[in-house]
Amino acid sequence: MMPYHRLAIPMLSVLTLAATSPFEDTARLDQQVATHLNAAIGEAGGARAPIDAKLKLKRCPAALQLSRTNQNAVLVSCAALGWRIFVPIQGGQLQQSDRVRRTDEYIVFRNQPLTLVVKRPSFSISYAVVAQKNGRIGDYIPVRASRKSKDLMARVSGSGAVELVQ
């Protein structure tokens, strides 16, 4: 007859390994965002929706950084690994200065480095691109991530920023 303590230790170590995922827990990220904003998901001033559980972000070895952006979102980032996500905030509207901005002036110029934001209901992702034409707010302009990549059509959303919209 085999002693049970010999089975218990290997079983416990297997369960511990299974519980430790190499990826960030999106529910925990949602909680950190809610604490940072002082509002729950779906409430005014809180995140619009939970962070998509399909995102596989490597677990950050250091503390995550959370900060408000001027794009009505919270930036959640891991400086140690270089990843970042934007979490849209409920009830975020364009600021008055953005509504009043003159639409006849270019704010993005050809060959200017830009930040492309891909927006989805529960998260946003951004990366660096280069403008291929001049553009005004609301204009659709071609952008490229590198010289070898194909052009993407993105809408100018601000100075130095373009977005892909669903």
Side-chain angles (χ1 to χ4, degrees):
M1 195 152 165
M2 186 176 214
Y4 289 108
H5 72 285
R6 285 188 182 173
L7 287 175
I9 292 173
M11 292 292 285
L12 183 59
S13 63
V14 168
L15 291 174
T16 305
L17 286 175
T20 306
S21 170
F23 302 111
E24 287 290 341
D25 178 15
T26 56
R28 189 175 67 88
L29 293 177
D30 285 332
Q31 182 59 43
Q32 289 178 334
V33 169
T35 301
H36 181 75
L37 294 173
N38 226 4
I41 295 170
E43 289 181 359
R48 282 189 205 161
I51 296 170
D52 192 340
K54 291 181 259 177
L55 280 178
K56 299 297 180 195
L57 302 168
K58 283 190 175 182
R59 186 173 301 280
C60 191
L64 294 174
Q65 293 139 359
L66 285 87
S67 60
R68 243 7 239 254
T69 69
N70 62 354
Q71 299 159 340
N72 297 318
V74 170
L75 171 65
V76 181
S77 61
C78 175
L81 296 177
W83 61 256
R84 63 185 183 168
I85 60 172
F86 291 88
V87 180
I89 298 171
Q90 179 71 22
Q93 298 294 322
L94 289 176
Q95 295 179 0
Q96 187 65 23
S97 61
D98 290 336
R99 284 191 210 121
V100 175
R101 186 186 301 258
R102 292 179 50 199
T103 58
D104 61 344
E105 62 187 66
Y106 290 118
I107 61 164
V108 169
F109 299 94
R110 184 172 186 217
N111 295 325
Q112 177 183 352
L114 304 171
T115 300
L116 173 70
V117 179
V118 179
K119 294 184 177 184
R120 296 294 180 254
S122 60
F123 69 93
S124 297
I125 299 174
S126 67
Y127 60 96
V129 294
V130 176
Q132 300 301 303
K133 288 187 177 179
N134 298 342
R136 299 172 186 90
I137 286 190
D139 287 351
Y140 283 86
I141 62 168
V143 296
R144 283 189 184 172
S146 70
R147 290 183 183 195
K148 294 182 181 180
S149 66
K150 292 184 178 183
D151 284 352
L152 297 172
M153 292 303 287
R155 185 174 66 201
V156 177
S157 59
S159 180
V162 292
E163 63 184 5
L164 286 180
V165 185
Q166 276 182 304

